[in-house]
Structure formats: structure tokens, C-alpha cells
Amino acid sequence: MRAFKMFAATGDQHIDLPAGGLKLVGRAATSDVPIFDPTISRRHAELQLAPSGVLVRDLGSSNGTFLNGARITEATATDGDVVTFGKVAFHIREVTPIKPQTGIDSTPFSMPAGATIVRRVPVEEEDAPKARVSGPQQLKVAGESVDERRARAMGLLLDISKELSRHQDVDKLLERVVDITFQVMDVDRVSILMVEPTSKELIPRVSHTRLGDLAGGAGSRHVPRSIAQRAVDERLAILTDNAAADERFKGKSIMMQSVRSAMCAPLMGRGGIVIGIIYVDNLTATNSFSDEDLDFLIAFSGIAAVAIENSSLTDRLRREAVVLSNFQRYFAPNLAEEIASQEGEIQLGGAKRPVVIFFSDIRGFTSMSESMLPDDIARLLTEYFTEMVEIVFKHGGTLDKFMGDAIMALWGAPIAHEDDADRAMLAAMEMQQVLAELNAKWEQDGRQQVKIGIGINFGEVFAGNIGSQQRLEYTVIGDAVNVASRLCSKAGPGDILVSEPFMRELKRPPEAEALEPLDLKGKAKRVPVYRVKLGS
């Protein structure tokens, strides 16, 4: 009979098709060909070697089985055809039959597409090759037969899935995964190592023995690097019966740690990305683990990986929600979203940086408010602030704070642009223009009119989160802030006063007149000042 193999279009998975018998393709760990992809049903399809090719039979899967792009119920595929289960494609290739050697376990490796999982890794002794014999089962699931134990294991996995889904904190979740491993398997040590996204290094997160924690670097040192790295690089679930004698894992860490029997499974994230590994071992006995133990660890690692990713996603969404709720008050909505989505790229902790500082203040507001009713004051300020803040956001500025009837705004923090000075200038000029329109409207309504003075400066300041542990505010501190505030206090109704450093930063400076240098409090020398001519 002709021999065929199926090779995954992505990843390293292949499916051997020996003569006789059926191969069950599905998402369940107990499938003959487990494919851990969300488009695969638990019992997706059956494969059987036929005289002219591979008989493919769909088992009522949700996302279908396809032959060369056409959905099928049952069909025969031959050399060169493409069979797709859900969205996972395999190429059919005719191969030369190889007669297995007597005495060697000929069970084929079974590896899901995009998440290559070897369900069993045979160990070859250094002397004469011998048939692999499964060790005593370490999974604490009783049953009269393999099928009964697997059924109970699946029920246990369902309970574990429900338990893990309740944990939203990643660190607590990882601790719970380790605790559950000890509860359901008779092992000496359990470790979870996570892949650092940038460096791709395996970082120990949780390591425990039956006697307690493995603190500090010990958590990573007891996991043999040769095993852990292969699990990540090749996306393999590994079972070794005698690590010290296993030619695949020769290394000093194996000998130093006296590892005898070990299992390691990758934590597969979305898109077939390895996000970490779960490692278990026994120190004293060889042949400790059975194939059923490895099957369970593969399924368990899949559930744990989903829980970890969901927990990480929940944590990220929670962080973004906090950032948005805090910063939407101070930043334009699109800027707040940019801050929330660029964790690690925007430094909110505090740093010195060049910034444009803007102050505006209603002239004579204190005396004006003495003759107004409280409700009228609140209404006027609400309408005024709404218009002014909208202009700040429109030009990409940051609202720092309200101070009574004054506004403090920034350009250049936390996100800088090449034209921050021009943006601030346009905002100041538009504020005076819009305020004139508001005054005309208020005059028609018989309401109080207002005038504002604006001061703008440019300089290096400390920008960051300032406050107590209970309340933090993003703001700037420095002499440049004080100068901007004092320019504002010197500005008359309708004026925009700007400093010389700010004028130098403008790429498109408006027409302005130089005033007599001002004596400003705290400055030893008089400060050059310019008044912007509106309408220029």
C-alpha cells in the first residue's frame, strides 16, 4: 500500500498515516492528532490510509473540513492536495514506507499546527536500544481502565478551568497553577517560567518544592536549561524518563540538579506564541511519568496558558481604564488613548524636559464675582472653561490644572511635537477670538462679559506625577513655570505676553511688539517680553 504523510502549512507538525486504523483529529488532548487551535472542534475529523490516498471524513465539525478549498463530508486526498481542518492546513505528500526497527517504539510524534506538541518523547539508552515502557502514573486520578482515567481527567481539567478563570491577578494565578499541579500530580518540584517579550529570555516566576518555595535564582537554576529551551524553541512538550542518561538533554544543569524524571510543556498563547513553560520533575526515581501524565500536562498547560493570557489582558485593560479615567481630564481624548496604549514608551514617572507653559487668567474676576450670584458664577465659568479647554485639546495641549478662574496648560509633555510652540501660540490666539464671540453672545443675553490675559514661556522643567500615594497629578515644576505665571499676571485684558525663549521656538511667529523688559519676582535680570498683535 502507498504511504502518505501530512505536513502542516505552518509550524513543524506532521501526521504519519500507518496502514490500518483511524486517526482522530481534534482539539482534545486525547485525540490521536491534537490540534490546539480555536477553529478545531474537539472531534473534528477522521483520517485513514486508503489504497489511492488518504480518506478524510468530517465528524460534523463547526468550522468544517476542506479539500483544496472545497468543503467536504468525506473525500480522498492524494499527493499534492491540501486538507484544511478549520483554518489549519496540511499538505499531503506521498512518502517511501519505512519499516520500523524491532524493539524500538515506533509511535509517531503528534504535533498541533502552530503549536508543535510532542505527546511522547522516547528515551534511547546509551547501550542497546530498548522498547520504551511507560512508568507508573503520577496523576492522582483513579480508574479501572485508561478510558475511565482519561474521562475522569477531562472532568478534572474542566474543574481546573473553572477555578483558574476566577483569578484575575497574574501572580496569584501562577501561584494557583503551581498549587493545583501539586494537588493533582505526585511530583517533587513545579516551576513556571515566562518568556520576557523583549529579550525572549525565560524568567522564573514561581518555583516550589513539596517542602516550600525556591527563592531567588534557585527557581531558575533547578530547571535544566537544555529541557526548558528546547520546549520553547521547538514548542515541544517533553517527557524524559532518565534525564541524566537522555542524549537529547546533556548538560551540566541536568547533572548538578540530579534530575531523574521530568516533564515540561510550553504555555502556548494566541497565534502559536510560547509565553512560558510549566516544568515538573521527580528527583529520586527514573521512569516516574507515564504517557497519561504527559497528556494531562499538555492539556493542563493549554488551560493555564489561556487563563494567563486572559488575566494579563484583564490587567492591561484595567490599567488602560485607570489611565484613561485619570488622564482624559487633562489630555485630549486621542492623546489619552495614545498614552494608555504606549506603556513603557511614554515616561510618566518624571523627567526633565523642555516644555511650553501656558497660563490664562480672567482679569478682575475677584471683584466681578462679588456682585454675581453663585449660580451665575458657576454657569459663566463652566461655559468659559468648556470652550477654552476644547481649544487646548484641539491644538494637542495638556490641561495641567484649573486654579480658580485661571488655566494652566502644557505643550511638550508627556508627548512632544516639533511644533509645540506654534500649537500653543495658535491656541492662545484662538482663545482670545472665541472669548470675543462669547462676550458678544453674553452681552445679547444681558450677562457679564470677561477679558483674559495670557502668558506663555518655554524652558526646561521637571515633568511627572507629583503628589502623595493617595493622589497624584501630572504637572511641571521649575523656574520656567514661574516665569509663565508672572507673564500672565502682567498681561492686560486681551493681551498675550510671551517670553524671548518662546519666541525663538516659534517656526511661524506672529507679528509681535517688543515691550520694555519686565522686572519679575525671583529674576535677577529684567526679562525681555513680547506682546502678540492679534489679527496678525
Side-chain angles (χ1 to χ4, degrees), residues 201-520:
E201 293 183 7
L202 276 170
I203 307 299
R205 291 291 296 271
V206 185
S207 294
H208 292 290
T209 70
R210 287 203 173 275
L211 300 178
D213 297 353
L214 286 170
S220 60
R221 288 196 298 268
H222 92 270
V223 178
R225 179 170 294 276
S226 52
I227 293 178
Q229 203 59 53
R230 182 172 182 183
V232 173
D233 294 343
E234 302 181 31
R235 291 179 289 184
L236 303 175
I238 296 169
L239 184 158
T240 178
D241 286 337
N242 188 348
D246 194 331
E247 291 292 338
R248 295 165 302 165
F249 308 123
K250 288 295 186 183
K252 292 182 179 179
S253 59
I254 295 283
M255 305 304 293
M256 288 172 59
Q257 294 298 330
S258 301
V259 175
R260 306 300 287 174
S261 298
M263 293 192 299
C264 183
L267 299 167
M268 303 300 301
R270 294 176 180 85
I273 302 299
V274 180
I275 62 174
I277 63 166
I278 181 169
Y279 169 89
V280 300
D281 66 18
N282 281 327
L283 301 179
T284 57
T286 59
N287 299 305
S288 294
F289 301 114
S290 69
D291 292 340
E292 291 180 52
D293 294 327
L294 184 60
D295 286 343
F296 184 87
L297 187 66
I298 292 170
F300 179 47
S301 67
I303 291 172
V306 170
I308 291 168
E309 282 207 320
N310 288 341
S311 180
S312 299
L313 177 61
T314 300
D315 183 66
R316 181 172 65 83
L317 293 175
R318 186 188 303 114
R319 182 193 64 82
E320 290 182 2
V322 170
V323 170
L324 285 173
S325 65
N326 285 336
F327 289 97
Q328 274 182 338
R329 296 175 295 168
Y330 309 111
F331 307 127
N334 61 332
L335 183 58
E337 292 176 5
E338 187 176 354
I339 292 170
S341 65
Q342 294 188 25
E343 181 181 15
E345 297 181 22
I346 297 176
Q347 299 299 320
L348 296 178
K352 284 188 175 182
R353 59 193 306 164
V355 170
V356 174
I357 307 101
F358 169 105
F359 281 91
S360 69
D361 191 15
I362 297 177
R363 304 286 78 143
F365 182 76
T366 301
S367 58
M368 181 196 336
S369 62
E370 291 177 354
S371 61
M372 297 174 64
L373 296 173
D375 288 348
D376 292 335
I377 297 173
R379 180 185 176 192
L380 182 146
L381 289 178
T382 298
E383 293 182 22
Y384 165 73
F385 283 143
T386 298
E387 293 290 342
M388 299 300 108
V389 170
E390 182 63 30
I391 293 170
V392 172
F393 288 170
K394 173 184 174 182
H395 293 281
T398 297
L399 175 64
D400 186 288
K401 62 174 67 72
F402 297 120
M403 298 172 291
D405 59 300
I407 295 173
M408 178 180 173
L410 312 171
W411 276 262
I415 296 178
H417 305 90
E418 290 185 358
D419 59 345
D420 278 322
D422 293 277
R423 292 173 183 236
M425 189 73 260
L426 290 173
M429 297 173 70
E430 186 173 344
M431 281 185 181
Q432 295 288 15
Q433 178 185 342
V434 169
L435 183 58
E437 296 170 359
L438 278 176
N439 279 325
K441 175 178 176 295
W442 290 337
E443 184 179 18
Q444 290 178 358
D445 297 339
R447 297 169 57 194
Q448 180 70 53
Q449 299 177 58
V450 300
K451 297 286 186 178
I452 62 173
I454 294 174
I456 311 176
N457 188 28
F458 173 82
E460 187 175 74
V461 298
F462 172 86
N465 288 304
I466 307 296
S468 67
Q469 292 183 350
Q470 287 72 33
R471 180 177 175 82
L472 292 174
E473 286 188 353
Y474 188 80
T475 189
V476 293
I477 296 174
D479 181 65
V481 179
N482 299 331
V483 171
S485 176
R486 287 163 189 153
L487 287 176
C488 179
S489 66
K490 295 289 185 179
D495 281 351
I496 301 174
L497 298 188
V498 300
S499 68
E500 192 171 59
F502 176 76
M503 286 293 289
R504 290 198 299 264
E505 284 296 309
L506 289 169
K507 293 178 173 56
R508 299 181 300 276
E511 186 178 352
E513 59 177 325
L515 302 180
E516 284 292 325
L518 296 178
D519 289 316
L520 297 182

Side-chain angles (χ1 to χ4, degrees), residues 85-161:
F85 307 105
K87 293 185 177 180
V88 181
F90 287 82
H91 296 281
I92 306 295
R93 294 288 184 267
E94 186 171 1
V95 296
T96 302
I98 299 176
K99 184 178 180 180
Q101 300 178 24
T102 304
I104 298 179
D105 181 6
S106 60
T107 305
F109 294 167
S110 179
M111 300 175 283
T116 310
I117 301 290
V118 175
R119 295 181 63 213
R120 48 185 66 86
V121 180
V123 174
E124 297 178 1
E125 300 293 338
E126 292 184 352
D127 299 324
K130 301 176 183 179
R132 180 181 183 279
V133 180
S134 293
Q137 180 178 311
Q138 304 303 319
L139 181 62
K140 300 175 183 178
V141 177
E144 296 295 327
S145 65
V146 172
D147 290 339
E148 183 179 352
R149 288 195 299 272
R150 283 181 172 174
R152 292 186 178 182
M154 294 305 294
L156 177 59
L157 287 169
L158 179 60
D159 292 339
I160 291 172
S161 178

